[in-house]
Amino acid sequence: MQVSRIAAAAAVAGTTVLVLASPALAHVSVQPEGKAAKGGYAVVDFKVPNERDDASTVKLEVNFPAEHPLASVMPEPVPGWDAKVTKSKLDKPLNLHGRQITEVVSKVTWTAAKGGGIKPGFFQKFPVNVGALPEDTDELVFKAIQTYSGGEVVRWIEVQQGDEEPENPAPVLALSAAEEDGHHGAGADDKASAEPSAGADQAAAHTSAAGEASQDSTDTTARVLGVVGIVVGVAGVAYGVLAGRRRSA
C-alpha cells in the first residue's frame, strides 16, 4: 500500500512538472546555429511549435527590431513554405563593407502551401542569415505573429519586464561577446605565420635526423677500426712467438 502511494505521488509530481513546463516549451523562440557574436553574422532559427490539437500553423510573421536594424537578412528556403521579405527605408543609412544601406528588412513572412503547414504535435524551424549584429546591445527582440488554419492568431509580442515571464513572450536572441577575429575566421596572415613555423619544425627534424645518422656512422666506423686493431695486434703477437721459436731452433 505504501509503495502504491509513493508511485501515485511520483506520477502526480511528474504530471505537474510537465504541465508547468509545457507553456515554456510551446513559445515561438529564436536560437542561433552556433554563436551570435556582436558585430558578426549568424544563422538563427525561429522555432515554431503547434499548440493546437485541431488546427495547423499556416503562417508566421517575424518583425525585425527597428531600433537595431540589420543590413543583411536572408531567409533559407523551407520546403512547403513561401517566404516574403518586406523592407523599409532608414532615417539614417548604415555602412556595410564600404557602401551605404538606405533600406533594411523589417519583416519576413512565411506562408504554408495549400493544405500544408505545421500539423498538431509538430514544430518547424525557419532559418535566417542575419548581420552584422549590433555591438551596443546584449539581445535582440523579434516580435512574431502565428496564424492557425482555423483563423486564430497568436501574437508573440510581449517583452518581459522583471523576473515573471509574460503569457505570450516575444522571441529574444541573446548576443555573445564580439570575437577578436570577427566573422571572417583565420586570415591569410595567420596561415602565413603558421607556415614558417611548420617549415622550421620540419628543418629541425631533418637536422636532427641527419645528426643521428652521422653519429651512427661514426660509431660504426669506430667499432670496425677497433676490431681491425685487435686482429692486427693478435696477429703481431702470434708472429713474434713463432719468430722466437724459430730462432731457438
Side-chain angles (χ1 to χ4, degrees):
M1 181 66 70
Q2 186 176 2
V3 174
S4 299
R5 290 177 179 175
I6 294 175
V12 172
T15 303
T16 303
V17 171
L18 289 175
V19 170
L20 293 176
S22 294
L25 296 175
H27 296 163
V28 172
S29 60
V30 59
Q31 291 292 334
E33 295 183 6
K35 291 184 178 181
K38 298 178 181 179
Y41 288 73
V43 176
V44 299
D45 294 330
F46 291 95
K47 182 179 178 181
V48 183
N50 193 332
E51 295 182 299
R52 303 294 179 260
D53 298 328
D54 56 353
S56 298
T57 296
V58 295
K59 187 177 181 180
L60 173 69
E61 299 177 42
V62 175
N63 293 275
F64 287 76
E67 63 276 14
H68 296 291
L70 300 174
S72 177
V73 175
M74 293 184 294
E76 179 180 329
V78 178
W81 293 79
D82 294 326
K84 179 183 178 181
V85 176
T86 302
K87 296 183 178 182
S88 60
K89 293 288 185 179
L90 289 175
D91 296 333
K92 182 180 179 181
L94 293 177
N95 289 322
L96 178 65
H97 303 309
R99 62 189 184 93
Q100 286 191 337
I101 305 298
T102 58
E103 62 178 11
V104 295
V105 174
S106 58
K107 181 173 66 174
V108 177
T109 304
W110 289 270
T111 305
K114 186 176 181 180
I118 307 172
K119 305 297 182 183
F122 291 86
F123 73 92
Q124 177 70 54
K125 289 182 179 180
F126 298 90
V128 182
N129 189 352
V130 298
L133 296 173
E135 301 182 22
D136 57 350
T137 184
D138 294 328
E139 62 182 25
L140 292 177
V141 179
F142 300 88
K143 296 183 178 182
I145 301 175
Q146 182 179 13
T147 303
Y148 287 92
S149 56
E152 180 186 5
V153 176
V154 181
R155 301 179 182 276
W156 304 98
I157 61 174
E158 298 177 6
V159 179
Q160 183 171 342
Q161 303 292 340
D163 297 332
E164 186 175 356
E165 186 179 53
E167 183 177 356
N168 295 320
V172 177
L173 176 66
L175 303 181
S176 59
E179 299 179 353
E180 293 183 359
D181 58 352
H183 65 278
H184 299 291
D189 294 340
D190 297 333
K191 295 181 181 178
S193 62
E195 288 174 357
S197 176
D201 293 341
Q202 292 177 357
H206 287 310
T207 302
S208 177
E212 292 176 359
S214 177
Q215 182 66 33
D216 292 342
S217 177
T218 302
D219 293 343
T220 301
T221 303
R223 292 192 188 99
V224 171
L225 292 176
V227 172
V228 171
I230 293 172
V231 172
V232 172
V234 171
V237 172
Y239 178 79
V241 172
L242 291 174
R245 288 180 179 179
R246 288 177 181 177
R247 290 173 183 173
S248 298

